[in-house]
Amino acid sequence: MVWDVSRRLYEEACQVIPGGVNSPVRSGRAVGMTPLFIREARGSRIVDEDGNEYIDYVASWGPLILGHAHPGVVEAVRTAAGKGTSYGIPTELELRMARMVVEMVPSIEMVRMVNSGTEATMSAVRLARGVTGRGKVVKFNGCYHGHVDSLLVKSGSGVATLGIPGSPGIPHEVARDTVSIRYNDLGAVREVMDAMGGEVAAIIVEPVAANMGVVLPREGFLAGLRELCTQHGALLIFDEVITGFRLAEGGAQQVYGVMPDLTCLGKIIGGGLPVGAYGGKREIMARMAPSGDVYQAGTLSGNPLAMSAGLATLQVLKEEGIHEQLESRAAYLAMGMAQAADAAGVKVFQTRVGSIGCAFFTDRVVQDFETAQSSDTRAYAAFFQEMLKRGVYLAPSQFEAFFISAAHSQDDLDRTIEAAKSALGRVKQLEAM
Ligand SMILES: *Cc1c(COP(=O)(O)O)cnc(C)c1O
């Protein structure tokens, strides 16, 4: 397999784009590679500029639950584009989208569309501060909520991958109002809330943490957060940018039966176009301008192109009952990977819920960012490279999820497991060297 064209494009891109990429997670640095440049994609497959084809488990980092270039989504976008891409004036599509979200997500009664997950979390935090009149926000180590100043503290995803401690450019005054706690440590949350609950506007959490690899909430963790928020008059914000519409129609809140005050959505809701949304109880959401006094706006928010792609995706999810199929395929893949690791004698801790999961290269039980960091990232890098050579594209970081889409066929999964068997064998050999 040669990557000559990708390498040349990368070198040229580095001259005009910082690090050659428009989002740091795309850099191959953590796995000792330069990034692939992709020419096209269809279904479960991506094709790079050198003509190599891969089974793709990144799926644009989550949005493409139906796979690449799903015919229904492509058709919806094409039709919408022909009628104008944005008006800055309301459309019926926005109403249909809002109704769809209210119908699907149990805790949402009103919703506002924005253009990214980052905008959704930023706006939800502002709303929580506006409603409570308080300043502090509690988050969890290794959770990623976009690159919002106040939430980029002990953050997951690219920040974890590249080992960046927060970021320069975030004022102390802003970071000081953020308290970050070990994920799954309800006792520590209770201590913080007992000490300063009266100053806390919100607790924001990924109900399944999917930006430090995939870490599942312990039994009672989410319900405990719900209880503490209610007790101290703080809002509970679920960041369901990854889990929304993915774990179930109604996201993680449906699966775990815990209702937040506000929910942040993104990724799948845009069907591959840039979209985010936040929603929740009517009396809270009504505080947003123009019905209320908390301000947030967007030139392209709710534009017909993005709404069409999102609606087409959500419609398929609702009508075709795809989640059961995703669950069984993902379970099959995870089992195959675990067997491959066993056979190769490589220690791996597997996590999975629905169609997201992670194989941590560690012999410890991973339940928070601290244990996730016990992973052997060099072994993961070797695994990534060996899989790539065998035509499988995994996330170029140990601290990211794998995403299965409805386009992954049984044959794709079998090929992936076969590739993993030989790749893990090679990883074991390299470890011994
Ligand atoms: C991706 C992600 C975000 C940020 O969304 P963008 O569209 O990249 O701004 C926020 N929260 C979570 C949980 C995410 O996975």
Side-chain angles (χ1 to χ4, degrees):
M1 204 172 264
V2 293
W3 294 297
D4 295 345
V5 182
S6 279
R7 286 196 178 127
R8 177 174 60 72
L9 291 172
Y10 173 66
E11 272 165 33
E12 290 180 24
C14 282
Q15 301 303 312
V16 286
I17 302 172
V21 292
N22 278 316
S23 189
V25 294
R26 297 174 200 171
S27 142
R29 208 169 290 181
V31 288
M33 299 272 302
T34 57
L36 301 181
F37 277 61
I38 299 303
R39 183 163 75 198
E40 60 183 314
R42 191 172 305 273
S44 64
R45 306 302 175 100
I46 50 175
V47 180
D48 70 17
E49 289 284 0
D50 290 278
N52 306 307
E53 187 177 287
Y54 313 87
I55 305 173
D56 176 26
Y57 289 97
V58 174
S60 192
W61 303 92
L64 303 174
I65 194 166
L66 302 180
H68 294 276
H70 182 276
V73 177
V74 171
E75 185 52 36
V77 169
R78 220 175 243 141
T79 305
K83 297 180 185 174
T85 54
S86 180
Y87 318 122
I89 305 173
T91 61
E92 190 183 351
L93 281 169
E94 294 165 88
L95 171 62
R96 282 178 49 204
M97 173 58 95
R99 282 202 174 128
M100 181 76 103
V101 172
V102 167
E103 218 175 286
M104 290 176 84
V105 185
S107 72
I108 296 186
E109 295 173 347
M110 257 190 176
V111 63
R112 169 62 66 77
M113 302 306 300
V114 290
N115 304 291
S116 68
T118 296
E119 268 189 72
T121 56
M122 179 185 75
S123 309
V125 166
R126 181 178 304 151
L127 177 53
R129 285 175 163 155
V131 165
T132 59
R134 301 172 178 178
K136 289 199 189 302
V137 173
V138 173
K139 73 174 287 288
F140 295 93
N141 304 344
C143 281
Y144 178 69
H145 304 294
H147 59 92
V148 181
D149 277 354
S150 62
L151 300 177
L152 208 55
V153 175
K154 297 195 177 162
S155 186
S157 189
V159 182
T161 300
L162 302 173
I164 302 170
S167 170
I170 297 175
H172 285 303
E173 297 74 20
V174 172
R176 214 172 39 204
D177 276 338
T178 304
V179 180
S180 195
I181 300 175
R182 195 183 263 253
Y183 193 78
N184 270 328
D185 190 347
L186 195 57
V189 185
R190 190 169 291 119
E191 274 173 32
V192 166
M193 293 305 276
D194 283 344
M196 58 171 78
E199 298 166 62
V200 174
I203 298 180
I204 185 167
V205 66
E206 288 181 76
V208 170
N211 284 287
M212 46 171 143
V214 172
V215 177
L216 307 188
R218 257 196 219 144
E219 176 100 44
F221 177 60
L222 299 174
L225 296 181
R226 174 66 278 173
E227 215 176 284
L228 285 168
C229 280
T230 306
Q231 185 187 333
H232 291 275
L235 299 193
L236 179 61
I237 305 175
F238 275 6
D239 180 349
E240 296 228 40
V241 169
I242 283 185
T243 53
F245 310 109
R246 178 168 284 279
L247 298 197
E249 252 186 43
Q253 56 195 267
Q254 180 185 325
V255 172
Y256 294 99
V258 176
M259 295 304 132
D261 298 297
L262 290 172
T263 301
C264 301
L265 298 166
K267 300 200 165 111
I268 289 173
I269 199 173
L273 269 73
V275 185
Y278 62 102
K281 291 183 185 142
R282 186 180 307 279
E283 65 269 25
I284 297 175
M285 288 304 293
R287 280 291 299 274
M288 293 310 299
S291 55
D293 54 351
V294 180
Y295 198 74
Q296 174 270 316
T299 301
L300 293 172
S301 293
N303 72 79
L305 210 58
M307 293 305 95
S308 299
L311 272 170
T313 302
L314 297 185
Q315 237 140 25
V316 173
L317 287 183
K318 226 162 114 65
E319 283 160 17
E320 296 185 11
I322 276 166
H323 290 102
E324 281 127 69
Q325 174 200 321
L326 286 175
E327 164 68 30
S328 65
R329 295 218 174 134
Y332 181 85
L333 180 68
M335 174 124 70
M337 295 282 263
Q339 282 167 353
D342 267 356
V346 177
K347 286 272 182 291
V348 163
F349 183 80
Q350 283 250 140
T351 57
R352 181 189 71 83
V353 55
S355 53
I356 50 173
C358 183
F360 291 99
F361 282 72
T362 179
D363 52 7
R364 296 184 61 181
V365 173
V366 176
Q367 53 190 11
D368 49 36
F369 188 45
E370 290 71 10
T371 42
Q373 279 177 313
S374 72
S375 302
D376 181 348
T377 52
R378 285 182 54 198
Y380 183 84
F383 180 56
F384 172 90
Q385 292 190 19
E386 294 302 322
M387 290 299 274
L388 192 69
K389 286 181 203 159
R390 290 164 178 80
V392 178
Y393 189 75
L394 302 173
S397 163
Q398 170 73 90
F399 304 113
E400 302 285 358
F402 67 71
F403 294 94
I404 293 187
S405 79
H408 285 94
S409 66
Q410 187 62 38
D411 181 53
D412 287 335
L413 303 182
D414 285 328
R415 282 194 198 203
T416 303
I417 292 166
E418 278 312 303
K421 278 184 192 152
S422 89
L424 286 162
R426 184 78 190 121
V427 170
K428 185 72 186 174
Q429 281 177 351
L430 292 170
E431 272 179 0
M433 274 159 64

